[in-house]
Amino acid sequence: MLIDFIVGARPNFMKLAPIINQLKNFDLNFKFRIIHTGQHYDKNLSSKLIEQLNLPKPDFNLKVGSGSQAEQTAKIMLGYERILKKTPSNMAVVFGDVNSTLACSITAKKNGLKVCHIEAGIRSGDIYMPEEINRIVTDSITDYFFTTSENANRTLINNGVCNKNIFFVGNLMIDTLINNKKNIKKPKIVDKFLDKDKKFILITLHRPSNVDDKKKLNNFLNQINESSTNIIFSAHPRTMKILDKGFINKNKILICKAQPYFEFLWLLENSCAVITDSGGVSEETTILNKPCFTMRDSTERPETVEIGTNILIGSSPEKLKDIFKLIRNEDFKVGKIPKKWDGKTAQRIIKILNKIASNE
Ligand code: UD1
C-alpha cells in the first residue's frame, strides 16, 4: 500500500513531523511519499520548518504559491491529479483545514484513493471561514477519521459517521511541541528589544477577518500602542503585506516577521500572555499553561476554552484595553490538559495506519 502524506501550509508540517520521526520504530505495512503543495513558500513557514522539524525533502512540490481561494485550490487539484495519473497511490492522509487539505482530499477521492483526515470533526460553526468549508467538505468524503477531542467524535457521530471509522488519537501539535522543547531558541531580534524589562505579550494575527481590512488592522495597532507591557507581534506574511508601513513602532512594540518554529516556541514559552487568532497557538498555550486571548467570536477547538487557558474575546480591537488590564493584574484563568494531548498521538496513528494497510 502506498500512502501520500499531504502538506502545504505551516501547521501541516508541524502535524506530519512526529509521524515521520516515529515511523522508524515500526515494522511498516505501507510505503509513503510526502507531497508538498507549495501553498506556503515563505522560508520561515516552509523550508526552515522542514529543516527544523527534521522532515525529509518532500517527494513532490507542486509549488502552487498564493492566489484566490479558487485559484489556489484548483492549482493544487490539477498538480496532485497529474502526480496520481503518472504514479498512482492508495491513500491520501490530509491534515487540518487548509486549502491543500480540501483540494487533495477531493482529488484523491475522485481518483479512487481512500482519504484519511487527521484532525477530523472539528467545527467553528462559522461558515464564512474558508477553513470551516474545508473541514465540512473534507469530512464528507473521508474514509478514516482521526480526531483530537471527544467534541470532534460527537460531531462526527451526529453527522452520521460510523463509529468504527473514528479514531480518537489525540493532538499531533502537542507531540511536536513536546519533542522540540529541548530545541527552543531565542530569536536574535529580541535581545536588543527586551533590554531591561523582560516581560512581554506575544501577538499573532493572520485571519482574513482580522487583517485584510487595513482600517481594522490600523485600529488594532493603535490599540496595542496603549499597552504598558512590552509587545512582540510576530506577523504572518499575509499580515505583513497589509500592515501600514507608516506605523511608528513605539519603544514597547516589536513587529517582526513570522518566526521559525524553535524561535516561535521561545516567544510562546517566555511571554506573559498571548493574544492570537490562531487555533493551533491556542492549543500550544493550553499545554504550556500560558494565558491566551483569542481574537475571534468562535473556535473549532472548544476544549482550549472549556479545559485550557484560552478565552474568546471577539475580534473588536477596542476589547484590548480590558485585556491589557487583566494581563497587568495577572488575572488569569487556570487550565488543565485535554485527554490524549500527551505526546503519543503519532504512535497511535501509525499503529492504526498499519492495521488499515494490512486489511486493504
Ligand atoms: C493558511 C490557512 C489557515 C492557516 C494558515 C497558517 C487556508 C484557507 N488558510 O492561511 O487556515 O491558519 O495558513 O499559517 O488554507 N503568503 C506569503 N508567503 C507564504 C504564504 C502566504 O507571502 O509562504 C501571503 C500571500 O500574500 C498569500 C497570503 O499570505 O496570498 C495568504 O496565504 P494563504 O496560504 O492563502 O493563507 P494563509 O493566510 O497563510
Side-chain angles (χ1 to χ4, degrees), residues 9-11 39-42 45 66-67 69 72 97-100 130-131 134 206-208 236-238 241:
R10 180 181 187 271
Q39 177 175 348
H40 280 176
Y41 47 91
D42 182 84
L45 304 185
S66 301
Q69 293 288 318
Q72 193 176 56
D97 54 18
V98 301
N99 287 343
S100 304
E131 292 83 356
N134 295 346
H206 74 288
R207 296 269 164 219
H236 182 283
R238 175 183 206 112
K241 276 187 189 160

Side-chain angles (χ1 to χ4, degrees), residues 66-330:
S66 301
S68 70
Q69 293 288 318
E71 202 180 342
Q72 193 176 56
T73 307
K75 277 191 193 159
I76 299 170
M77 291 177 78
L78 284 171
Y80 186 38
E81 188 172 63
R82 241 174 253 134
I83 294 175
L84 289 178
K85 292 287 181 222
K86 260 198 199 150
T87 49
S89 177
N90 306 102
M91 179 152 89
V93 174
V94 296
F95 298 86
D97 54 18
V98 301
N99 287 343
S100 304
T101 313
L102 168 82
C104 289
S105 58
I106 295 176
T107 309
K109 195 72 181 172
K110 289 197 168 182
N111 281 277
L113 281 74
K114 295 280 184 199
V115 174
C116 167
H117 185 199
I118 293 186
E119 216 181 79
I122 66 174
R123 300 284 186 273
S124 67
D126 178 359
I127 197 67
Y128 295 103
M129 281 175 78
E131 292 83 356
E132 186 75 350
I133 302 166
N134 295 346
R135 290 176 200 122
I136 293 171
V137 177
T138 301
D139 279 345
S140 71
I141 52 174
T142 287
D143 297 281
Y144 303 107
F145 302 79
F146 289 74
T147 62
T148 52
S149 70
E150 282 166 332
N151 282 315
N153 300 343
R154 274 192 293 275
T155 301
L156 291 170
I157 298 280
N158 290 341
N159 283 337
V161 174
C162 185
N163 211 356
K164 73 173 186 3
N165 295 328
I166 302 174
F167 306 96
F168 177 27
V169 287
N171 194 333
L172 283 171
M173 290 278 274
I174 306 310
D175 285 31
T176 308
L177 180 67
I178 293 171
N179 295 343
N180 287 291
K181 267 189 134 181
K182 56 183 183 302
N183 296 323
I184 283 184
K185 199 166 147 192
K186 187 174 185 183
K188 284 199 191 89
I189 33 141
V190 164
D191 272 335
K192 260 199 213 143
F193 175 67
L194 292 178
D195 208 6
K196 288 189 195 78
D197 183 4
K198 301 270 185 263
K199 193 171 163 180
F200 70 95
I201 301 168
L202 173 65
I203 298 187
T204 83
L205 282 190
H206 74 288
R207 296 269 164 219
S209 57
N210 279 329
V211 303
D212 281 3
D213 177 357
K214 200 169 176 157
K215 229 163 118 192
K216 186 170 180 189
L217 190 60
N218 275 341
N219 187 8
F220 173 81
L221 291 174
N222 289 333
Q223 294 294 331
I224 64 172
N225 247 340
E226 301 299 318
S227 163
S228 58
T229 312
N230 289 319
I231 285 184
I232 298 182
F233 184 178
S234 171
H236 182 283
R238 175 183 206 112
T239 314
M240 225 25 159
K241 276 187 189 160
I242 302 160
L243 270 175
D244 196 341
K245 300 291 177 294
F247 175 77
I248 301 166
N249 261 359
K250 289 213 174 154
N251 290 339
K252 284 194 161 295
I253 303 175
L254 172 71
I255 300 183
C256 58
K257 58 181 188 180
Q259 292 296 299
Y261 186 58
F262 298 163
E263 287 81 353
F264 187 71
L265 278 187
W266 187 93
L267 292 174
L268 268 181
E269 184 146 276
N270 289 282
S271 62
C272 64
V274 178
I275 298 174
T276 187
D277 59 6
S278 155
V281 170
S282 71
E283 294 180 333
E284 293 171 324
T285 49
T286 285
I287 291 297
L288 295 170
N289 203 19
K290 191 70 62 185
C292 178
F293 300 93
T294 294
M295 292 202 68
R296 285 173 52 191
D297 296 313
S298 61
T299 176
E300 60 289 337
R301 294 161 165 92
E303 53 289 339
T304 63
V305 176
E306 288 158 7
I307 304 172
T309 52
N310 190 16
I311 297 176
L312 292 183
I313 59 170
S315 65
S316 154
E318 282 77 19
K319 288 265 172 66
L320 288 172
K321 249 184 241 123
D322 297 335
I323 302 307
F324 290 140
K325 203 161 149 201
L326 285 181
I327 295 175
R328 218 174 28 248
N329 297 336
E330 300 190 359

